Amino acid sequence: MAKDNIKLGLILGFIAPLIVFLIVYFLRFSGYDFNEFVRVFVNEKKLITFWGVWCLVGNIALFTYYINTAKDKTSKGIFAITVVYGIGILLLKLLI
């Protein structure tokens, strides 16, 4: 994590929400079969917001860490992916 480049930020920004998604799924929704969970997820817009917020929290934590350690290029990559995730979540809410 000592590097400071945009590619690292893009990779970290992409992976962190997926890791948070899995952690929250196993902690809160492990009682659901994954197919059943997806069905409920599609039918409940509130869950889209819930997951969106939690998945972006991982990126916010990473972004804060890299800003505070003066690794501006990496933080730019994380920020860019966070914006993409945010737009994706908004579009998902509109389309479902």
Side-chain angles (χ1 to χ4, degrees):
M1 285 203 187
K3 293 183 179 182
D4 183 23
N5 62 47
I6 290 180
K7 286 182 185 179
L8 176 63
L10 293 172
I11 292 168
L12 290 173
F14 181 76
I15 292 173
L18 299 176
I19 293 170
V20 171
F21 178 88
L22 290 174
I23 291 170
V24 174
Y25 172 75
F26 285 117
L27 290 177
R28 181 128 189 232
F29 296 94
S30 62
Y32 286 96
D33 161 351
F34 192 74
N35 291 330
E36 181 183 0
F37 168 73
V38 170
R39 197 171 340 110
V40 172
F41 181 80
V42 169
N43 292 326
E44 293 290 331
K45 282 191 174 184
K46 293 177 190 175
L47 281 179
I48 296 171
T49 304
F50 172 82
W51 284 104
V53 167
W54 278 108
C55 287
L56 293 177
V57 163
N59 276 4
I60 292 167
L62 278 175
F63 180 76
T64 302
Y65 171 78
Y66 279 97
I67 283 291
N68 289 338
T69 56
K71 294 187 170 91
D72 295 332
K73 293 177 186 174
T74 305
S75 60
K76 286 178 188 178
I78 295 168
F79 180 76
I81 291 295
T82 304
V83 170
V84 170
Y85 266 110
I87 291 170
I89 292 165
L90 289 174
L91 289 175
L92 189 62
K93 279 192 71 132
L94 290 172
L95 297 175
I96 292 182

